[in-house]
């Protein structure tokens, strides 16, 4: 009954973490410097990758022509020469996901270590919290672009089929030096996921919890729930929202909140949508209309809320029906 009242009234804002996390200007302290520099070296590549992916055109025309004229060797060569550089780009994105996983592992270690609580970590180590947020923001943006571009999967599938066929003919043998069979298999598994970057982060977060047996799981889940709560408070509190100097910060907060909810759902034994969850997902759904800059009805909001349906327990937990109804 208490949870139902919370769903209906959504008046528990004051009970959550209530501080401003400076996503725009947080600077690393001396204590954060080592971890910050390691993660920064990875994040510096993220904007370029998103720009490339946003402009990814694929080789659909060349592939279609090659398939329709299988005996035309010139068209086969043209399609192969068009696809190969694209696959090398896809390889770079996959390798970046591994670097991003290492960066997240470092941040989780720093933000969950005793004796400080997750709230203390996030409030004191805002530069690391900002990097954590930037990783989540990049992840959802990357997956959104990947999901909306079928050429990525088509190009890689054509590459694998052609490489297999050419290996039988002993032609294009140099291609495997760039993307060998083992790498191709790993890339295939990565791009077969609807949300490959999110799957990578979910896996590394779960692995972080399982490998650090002396660290209570609550340290990690509380870090995630606190981050979600901070984003929610910042979006709903006019005093905090007025401190945003960029028009994009609100949507940034929204993406980060969605990202930590999904990570929490994958790591916590009962998930984010159970009645006992520390993340009030129903309240998030009901208060979307209060977000600034017209986010509520934007394409971005639709994508972000849709991402919640990909979390591990949303469609399994019986408790989730409460949240499904509140989000509809």
């Amino acid at each position: 009954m208490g949870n139902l009242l919370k769903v209906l009234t959504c008046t528990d804002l004051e009970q959550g973490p209530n501080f401003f996390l400076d996503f725009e200007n947080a600077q690393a302290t001396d204590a954060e410097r080592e971890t910050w520099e390691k993660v920064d070296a990875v994040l510096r590549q993220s904007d370029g990758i998103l720009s490339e992916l946003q402009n990814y055109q694929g080789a659909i025309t060349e592939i279609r022509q090659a398939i329709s004229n299988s005996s035309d060797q010139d068209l086969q060569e043209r399609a192969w020469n068009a696809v190969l550089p694209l696959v090398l780009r896809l390889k770079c994105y996959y390798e970046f996901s591994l670097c991003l996983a290492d960066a997240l592992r470092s941040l989780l270690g720093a933000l969950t270590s005793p004796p400080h609580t997750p709230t203390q970590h996030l409030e004191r180590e805002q530069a690391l919290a900002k990097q954590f947020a930037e990783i989540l923001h990049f992840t959802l943006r990357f997956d959104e672009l990947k999901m909306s571009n079928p050429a990525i999967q088509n190009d890689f599938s054509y590459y694998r089929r052609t490489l297999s066929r050419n290996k039988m003919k002993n032609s294009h043998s140099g291609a495997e030096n760039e993307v060998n069979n083992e790498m191709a298999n790993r890339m295939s598994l990565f791009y077969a996921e609807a949300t490959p970057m999110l799957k990578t982060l979910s896996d590394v977060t779960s692995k972080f919890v399982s490998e650090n047996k002396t660290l209570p799981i609550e340290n990690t889940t509380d870090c995630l729930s606190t981050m979600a709560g901070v984003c929610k408070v910042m979006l709903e509190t006019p005093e905090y929202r007025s401190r945003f100097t960029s028009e994009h910060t609100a949507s940034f907060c929204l993406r980060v909140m969605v990202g930590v909810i999904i990570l929490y759902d994958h790591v916590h034994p009962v998930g984010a949508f159970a009645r006992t969850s520390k993340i009030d997902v129903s309240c998030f759904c009901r208060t979307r209309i209060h977000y600034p800059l017209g986010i509520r009805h934007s394409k971005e909001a639709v994508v972000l809320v849709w991402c919640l349906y990909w979390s591990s327990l949303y469609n399994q937990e019986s408790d989730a029906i409460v949240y499904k109804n509140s989000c509809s």
Side-chain angles (χ1 to χ4, degrees):
M1 178 61 71
N3 193 71
L4 178 59
L5 290 174
K6 187 170 63 174
V7 169
L8 295 175
T9 62
C10 201
T11 58
D12 65 329
L13 182 62
E14 70 279 3
Q15 298 177 9
N18 195 341
F19 62 89
F20 184 79
L21 211 169
D22 194 351
F23 285 141
E24 296 177 340
N25 302 303
Q27 300 295 315
T29 62
D30 290 341
E32 299 171 90
R33 184 73 56 189
E34 182 178 353
T35 300
W36 184 90
E37 288 180 348
K38 177 182 177 180
V39 177
D40 182 63
V42 176
L43 284 174
R44 279 200 298 265
Q45 306 173 57
S46 61
D47 287 343
I49 288 175
L50 290 179
S51 179
E52 285 186 10
L53 194 59
Q54 190 163 13
N55 295 305
Y56 189 99
Q57 298 297 317
I60 185 170
T61 300
E62 293 86 350
I63 292 173
R64 184 184 294 119
Q65 290 175 345
I67 293 175
S68 300
N69 302 274
S70 57
S71 61
D72 190 323
Q73 192 59 35
D74 287 340
L75 291 178
Q76 306 306 311
E77 290 286 344
R78 186 180 305 170
W80 177 259
N81 291 333
V83 165
L84 185 56
L86 295 174
V87 169
L88 295 181
R89 284 171 58 184
L90 296 179
K91 177 188 175 186
C92 290
Y93 304 158
Y94 168 72
E95 291 174 333
F96 180 75
S97 75
L98 304 180
C99 295
L100 202 67
D102 286 338
L104 178 60
R105 192 177 294 109
S106 297
L107 288 175
L108 288 173
L111 294 173
T112 62
S113 60
H116 302 308
T117 66
T119 299
Q120 290 171 333
H121 274 299
L122 293 174
E123 193 166 10
R124 296 177 181 183
E125 298 155 29
Q126 295 215 357
L128 298 186
K130 178 175 180 285
Q131 288 183 320
F132 185 20
E134 288 170 343
I135 287 177
L136 293 168
H137 183 267
F138 166 84
T139 295
L140 292 188
R141 182 63 180 141
F142 181 97
D143 287 346
E144 178 187 340
L145 291 171
K146 185 267 179 184
M147 284 189 292
S148 63
N149 193 342
I152 293 172
Q153 193 78 357
N154 292 339
D155 290 348
F156 191 69
S157 296
Y158 177 81
Y159 169 83
R160 296 211 69 185
R161 291 196 307 270
T162 304
L163 183 61
S164 178
R165 186 168 61 247
N166 288 338
K167 283 174 66 177
M168 296 176 64
K169 299 177 181 178
N170 293 319
S171 59
H172 294 306
S173 58
E176 193 169 356
N177 294 329
E178 300 290 347
V179 182
N180 61 35
N181 192 56
E182 181 183 354
M183 173 62 75
N185 286 337
R186 284 186 279 149
M187 288 173 61
S188 182
L189 292 173
F190 178 76
Y191 287 108
E193 296 286 343
T195 54
M197 284 290 178
L198 187 56
K199 177 66 163 57
T200 298
L201 295 197
S202 297
D203 287 348
V204 76
T205 304
S206 298
K207 189 175 181 181
F208 173 83
V209 170
S210 63
E211 289 181 344
N212 291 273
K213 299 186 184 302
T214 59
L215 186 71
I217 187 175
E218 290 78 14
N219 286 38
T220 303
T221 56
D222 286 356
C223 177
L224 300 175
S225 62
T226 301
M227 178 75 90
V230 168
C231 290
K232 179 175 178 292
V233 168
M234 287 168 60
L235 286 167
E236 294 180 337
T237 307
E239 177 187 351
Y240 289 157
R241 203 167 61 234
S242 66
R243 295 170 64 178
F244 296 165
T245 60
S246 169
E247 62 180 7
H248 302 296
T249 304
S251 60
F252 179 91
C253 284
L254 181 58
R255 283 180 181 273
V256 171
M257 182 159 57
V258 170
V260 290
I261 288 173
I262 296 175
L263 286 184
Y264 182 100
D265 191 58
H266 280 262
V267 173
H268 198 280
V270 299
F273 298 89
R275 284 181 167 85
T276 56
S277 170
K278 291 187 177 181
I279 296 181
D280 190 354
V281 181
S282 65
C283 204
F284 156 64
C285 291
R286 290 175 62 83
T287 56
R288 281 176 295 149
I289 58 174
H290 300 303
Y291 295 161
L293 308 176
I295 292 176
R296 172 64 176 86
H297 297 291
S298 70
K299 175 186 175 184
E300 179 173 80
V302 173
V303 171
L304 291 173
V305 174
W306 178 83
C307 278
L308 289 174
Y309 288 79
W310 283 93
S311 39
S312 64
L313 299 175
Y314 185 80
N315 291 308
Q316 301 173 28
E317 286 286 338
S318 58
D319 290 338
I321 191 170
V322 176
Y323 301 105
K324 290 181 180 179
N325 291 337
S326 69
C327 289
S328 60

